[in-house]
Amino acid sequence: MGVFDLHVPEDWHRVFREISDPPGVVLLLGAPDTGKSTMANFMVYKSIEEGVRTAYIDGDLGQSIIGPPTTLGMTCPLEPPADMRGLKWDHLYFIGATSPAGHSLATAVGVKRLVERAKEEGAEMVVVDTTGLVAGAMGFELKFYKIELLNPQHIIAIQRTEEVEHILKGCRRRKGMKIHRLSPSQEVHSRSQEVRWAYRKRKFQDYFQRCARRAISLDAVEFINPELPLLTKEGIDERLKGRLLGLNDEEYFAIGLGIWDGFDGNSNKIYILTPLDNLGGIRYLHLGYLSLKVPL
Ligand SMILES: Nc1ncnc2c1ncn2[C@@H]1O[C@H](COP(=O)(O)OP(=O)(O)OP(=O)(O)O)[C@@H](O)[C@H]1O
Ligand SMILES: [Mg+2]
């Protein structure tokens, strides 16, 4: 659904005026299915329409809008985007999992890297969209420390009742940080777990649809394994078949993704399935936590 088809409550216009004066980092916070991404799209659209250079950061690893699942994405559109789904990314940060659970540090760091990059590239407004993981201790850790790290000028909190107040409590009296509380639009509808799985599967299929088997020499890249740093080469082939890989450049941003498809100890080459034609810029193969069955 594009911005032209949305139900736009009067509140949204008010909040847009407030976050634009002056523009800065804006973080969206809310439980699942409260309309965070839709509102983010609206804010990005309006901001670019008003001539403000604006970046959108997709902090959702599972229901990704920018880039494939398991990555965080950043885009800085030149034209107001009626629908951000499917927009090409400017930068990706690979996490390797479809949920931030157990990966909250990596997720917070990745979002921070993308926000910094957006600012370096001239973005005046940076809209940071987040997952609906806000409940309990895990939600607190993930969101509160993300706020600590990013120090946003604005937090837009969309709540049915008080789902994110335990996080906001630690931000209420901050200097230079404004909280904007909103209720979800009455047009918001929830997506079932099945719909979410199907969406994720389609995103992977779209990404890998034109992939080829390519060799990459371990003499030319570093293999980063966050689980087993001292992994022996014996049996590596079978154990890692199907595992997702972040194909990272010299700045540790992901150029793309690959799927582990074999290892040849004699030539010291890893075989990967990837849609990338040019592997020249890859400096690191970062092992993900997820395995994919091919064909997808
Ligand atoms: N203002 C609105 N007008 C019409 N439809 C809306 C509006 N806000 C949200 N929706 C619809 O409700 C659904 C959920 O919205 P959205 O994806 O923005 O929620 P979210 O909080 O980002 O969810 P998640 O927690 O999964 O990230 C979407 O299908 C969206 O099109
Ligand atoms: Mg969302």
Side-chain angles (χ1 to χ4, degrees):
M1 180 184 284
V3 289
F4 303 117
D5 308 312
L6 294 179
H7 161 247
V8 179
E10 187 42 41
D11 276 5
W12 286 25
H13 291 285
R14 174 184 52 81
V15 170
F16 176 70
R17 282 192 300 276
E18 290 171 2
I19 65 170
S20 309
D21 186 26
V25 176
V26 181
L27 184 112
L28 282 121
L29 208 56
D33 298 319
T34 47
K36 301 177 293 299
S37 302
T38 306
M39 185 173 202
N41 199 151
F42 175 81
M43 297 296 168
V44 170
Y45 184 96
K46 291 277 290 176
S47 179
I48 296 175
E49 194 181 42
E50 297 210 343
V52 176
R53 188 153 168 79
T54 304
Y56 169 73
I57 295 188
D58 176 13
D60 196 326
L61 297 168
Q63 301 296 295
S64 305
I65 290 173
I66 305 299
T70 71
T71 64
L72 305 164
M74 189 269 270
T75 181
C76 214
L78 296 175
E79 298 295 326
D83 189 346
M84 288 196 300
R85 277 169 214 281
L87 278 191
K88 181 75 184 147
W89 59 85
D90 293 342
H91 296 284
L92 289 181
Y93 193 89
F94 180 73
I95 303 293
T98 53
S99 159
H103 309 288
S104 50
L105 182 59
T107 308
V109 167
V111 170
K112 172 76 174 172
R113 291 276 328 266
L114 293 172
V115 169
E116 290 307 310
R117 175 46 60 95
K119 287 182 184 168
E120 283 161 27
E121 292 185 358
E124 298 160 84
M125 184 181 287
V126 183
V127 176
V128 182
D129 193 7
T130 61
T131 62
L133 179 50
V134 293
M138 202 186 284
F140 179 86
E141 183 183 349
L142 181 65
K143 297 291 149 62
F144 179 78
Y145 290 103
K146 193 180 278 181
I147 292 167
E148 281 286 274
L149 197 59
L150 301 184
N151 194 24
Q153 280 72 56
H154 299 276
I155 298 175
I156 301 178
I158 313 181
Q159 304 182 92
R160 292 189 181 87
T161 53
E162 298 192 329
E163 306 93 88
V164 297
E165 286 302 327
H166 63 300
I167 300 166
L168 296 179
K169 208 167 163 26
C171 311
R172 276 179 200 157
R173 299 164 195 269
R174 297 295 182 104
K175 194 175 159 200
M177 196 183 288
K178 258 195 181 160
I179 299 172
H180 310 266
R181 289 181 177 77
L182 291 168
S183 298
S185 147
Q186 68 256 27
E187 297 296 321
V188 169
H189 49 263
S190 336
R191 282 165 300 165
S192 66
Q193 206 49 253
E194 288 70 30
V195 168
R196 287 170 183 268
W197 283 330
Y199 176 80
R200 189 184 304 162
K201 186 172 174 187
R202 203 172 59 247
K203 289 282 286 185
F204 274 131
Q205 283 170 336
D206 287 351
Y207 181 76
F208 284 109
Q209 66 174 328
R210 269 184 287 276
C211 68
R213 191 170 195 259
R214 299 187 190 281
I216 193 157
S217 169
L218 279 179
D219 300 330
V221 301
E222 305 294 336
F223 174 57
I224 308 299
N225 180 349
E227 288 178 318
L228 298 165
L230 298 174
L231 189 80
T232 59
K233 285 183 179 172
E234 233 149 84
I236 192 175
D237 197 3
E238 276 317 302
R239 272 182 288 156
L240 295 186
K241 197 146 179 114
R243 282 284 278 274
L244 203 59
L245 294 162
L247 311 180
N248 289 353
D249 65 13
E250 60 188 6
E251 295 183 274
Y252 228 77
F253 286 117
I255 299 172
L257 301 185
I259 298 172
W260 182 289
D261 198 43
F263 175 67
D264 177 4
N266 295 325
S267 61
N268 210 26
K269 280 183 177 157
I270 291 181
Y271 291 89
I272 60 172
L273 303 172
T274 181
L276 289 187
D277 293 325
N278 183 357
L279 307 184
I282 300 171
R283 298 287 177 272
Y284 303 93
L285 302 182
H286 190 109
L287 187 66
Y289 302 92
L290 200 75
S291 290
L292 294 177
K293 271 212 185 87
V294 183
L296 294 163

